[in-house]
Amino acid sequence: MSFHIVFRGTQRNGIPAARRALVDIAKSWGVTGDSLDDIGLVAGELVANAVIHAPGRLLAGLKLSPDGDRVVIEVYDPSRRMPTGAANFGNSNLTSGRGMLLIEGLSKSWGAEPTILGKKVWAELAVPTVTASTQSRSERRAAVITRLARPACFQPRMPYLNSPLRKDG
């Protein structure tokens, strides 16, 4: 199961909203506790890196493994410049890169891949096994509509029943 959100990554004030959206998706799958915190931290760092180093149209996504024991956070951006990871950590002359140390520490694995429009940076995190809904998208949509609909909305309107042109038998 996967979800993606598209946002304009030109201002840092959009980072919390993107992070919160990904955490909310994980929460809807049944992920709880420290795993949600880790997802929030890693998602925040990946999104922040994209906003800072490659502003523009960004795409962030979250995928749940078929076994329900891992999530993959993906952030797509328009830059072809690949992240260096935490290899330069400790170099006091550098002003960035420390977020990658956090990503490396919290994720099971991470990487970056070129795409047609830039690159994808991803991180895989282990989570306690969760069971995502097996409903299709249309079934979930129908369930939401059913919950929100009022019974009065489904009463058919037949104006012709009270029409003076109507003739009975």
Side-chain angles (χ1 to χ4, degrees), residues 133-150:
S133 170
T134 57
Q135 288 182 320
S136 70
R137 185 176 185 176
S138 59
E139 289 171 327
R140 287 192 309 272
R141 189 177 295 148
V144 168
I145 292 169
T146 302
R147 274 197 317 266
L148 297 175
R150 296 184 183 126

Side-chain angles (χ1 to χ4, degrees), residues 22 27 34 41 43 45 58 65 81 97 102-103 107 110 119 122 131 135 137 143-144 146-147 149 165:
L22 295 175
K27 193 183 294 186
D34 291 341
L41 286 169
E45 287 299 325
L58 307 176
S65 69
R81 184 174 168 225
L102 180 67
I103 292 168
S107 58
W110 76 274
K119 72 175 171 295
W122 58 269
T131 306
Q135 288 182 320
R137 185 176 185 176
V144 168
T146 302
R147 274 197 317 266
L165 299 176

Side-chain angles (χ1 to χ4, degrees), residues 37-60:
D37 295 339
D38 292 350
I39 290 169
L41 286 169
V42 172
E45 287 299 325
L46 290 175
V47 170
N49 286 344
V51 168
I52 293 166
H53 299 292
R57 184 175 182 269
L58 307 176
L59 177 71

Side-chain angles (χ1 to χ4, degrees), residues 71-90:
V71 296
V72 177
I73 302 163
E74 301 174 330
V75 176
Y76 297 80
D77 68 52
S79 171
R80 297 205 180 269
R81 184 174 168 225
M82 295 294 168
T84 59
N88 294 319
F89 184 72

